[in-house]
Amino acid sequence: MKLNDKVYDVLKWVTMIVIPALATAYVGFAGIWGWPLADEIAKSATVICTLLGALLGISTAQYNKDKEP
């Protein structure tokens, strides 16, 4: 599985920055404002980030394998 550069860069940014930031913000505000399901959202974000990270790792490994002489 290889991703083109643009898709890879967007997925990496979403995985490393966007999802963790949104989850952290939600959990923080949930504690302040009494919003529901904070633990479930934090755990779901972790699962999604782990899955995307694994997929990106597979793509990177395939890309590096194809570049070897």
Side-chain angles (χ1 to χ4, degrees):
M1 175 182 95
K2 282 195 316 186
L3 302 171
N4 71 41
D5 289 345
K6 178 136 180 109
V7 172
Y8 178 85
D9 290 342
V10 169
L11 282 176
K12 186 174 178 183
W13 179 72
V14 166
T15 302
M16 295 180 68
I17 305 297
V18 175
I19 294 172
L22 290 174
T24 300
Y26 185 88
V27 170
F29 287 128
I32 296 168
W33 297 101
W35 295 350
L37 305 174
D39 288 341
E40 290 82 355
I41 289 172
K43 291 174 185 176
S44 296
T46 301
V47 169
I48 292 167
C49 284
T50 302
L51 175 62
L52 289 174
L55 294 174
L56 290 170
I58 291 168
S59 180
T60 300
Q62 184 65 41
Y63 177 81
N64 290 334
K65 180 180 171 186
D66 290 347
K67 287 188 79 169
E68 291 178 1

